[in-house]
Amino acid sequence: MTHALQWLRSLVFVVQMYLAMAVLGIVFLPWALVSPRGARIACKTFCRWVRFTAAWMVGLRTEVRGTPPRGEVLIASKHQSFLDIILIFGSIPAGKFIMKRELMWAPVIGQYALRIGCVPVNRGKRSQAIGKMVEDVARGRQEPGQLIIYAQGTRVAPGVKKPYKIGAGVLYEELGQTCVPAATNVGVFWPRKGILRKPGLAVVEFLPEIAPGLPRGTFMRRLESEVEEASDKLMREAGFDTGER
């Protein structure tokens, strides 16, 4: 009975969340069309709304730990569900995601993503995608912001091991920017698929900066080690068995 009630509450939450996305997308559209700032404010308003409604509708509280970066940096994060997108973007001034090209055609999300400076890439052709990613990012550096890449290239469920893609290392090397790793446990409560949202405390944690200039291989090993270790710690804190003792 308790599980069924939580699922029903989750369904109501998910429905109202997407309705809110549509309403905000329409309301802010005139401003978003003439100014990226309008698009960013629309997206941040949506992030605040999701966090607020998640807390009282399904008992899912959220927290951002560490120091959210303010300058022009590369953020390389763990990705477990839509919620870590919301927490990261809502906590930084001008986030821009490396996103899969298919999302360009998603209603509301695609249009607003392009307006805030997100960089669509074709992941089907790896070498071409990386080159295009670097080129597009370099062209967009006139407008400062925090470039966010999901280092494993996709959502990864808690407890699943997946290698880190070279794209994060290429961007770190080519852009010459400081990298801020980010860990999370959001997938414990908000899975990558399905309706059920579990009560608890979902966390995104910004980790200590990695200064520019490291060899690509050294950077990738350090990034994976620090993000995975911190994410496992957050998941254990949330009651998830990571298999480590």
Side-chain angles (χ1 to χ4, degrees), residues 75-98:
I75 298 173
S77 177
K78 184 85 170 171
H79 186 22
Q80 292 185 336
S81 75
F82 187 43
L83 184 55
D84 54 63
I85 295 176
I86 290 168
L87 294 183
I88 291 173
F89 184 83
S91 64
I92 57 180
K96 299 178 289 185
F97 290 87
I98 301 292

Side-chain angles (χ1 to χ4, degrees), residues 111-162:
Q111 292 72 41
Y112 273 83
L114 293 177
R115 290 300 292 150
I116 64 175
C118 293
V119 182
V121 296
N122 185 350
R123 295 190 304 176
K125 299 178 180 178
R126 182 173 168 182
S127 60
Q128 293 180 22
I130 292 173
K132 182 70 163 52
M133 184 192 308
V134 172
E135 179 186 335
D136 287 347
V137 169
R139 280 210 310 264
R141 291 186 70 188
Q142 306 91 304
E143 185 173 337
Q146 298 77 47
L147 181 65
I148 306 144
I149 184 169
Y150 285 116
Q152 290 168 294
T154 188
R155 292 171 297 176
V156 179
V160 174
K161 299 300 180 183
K162 191 173 180 67

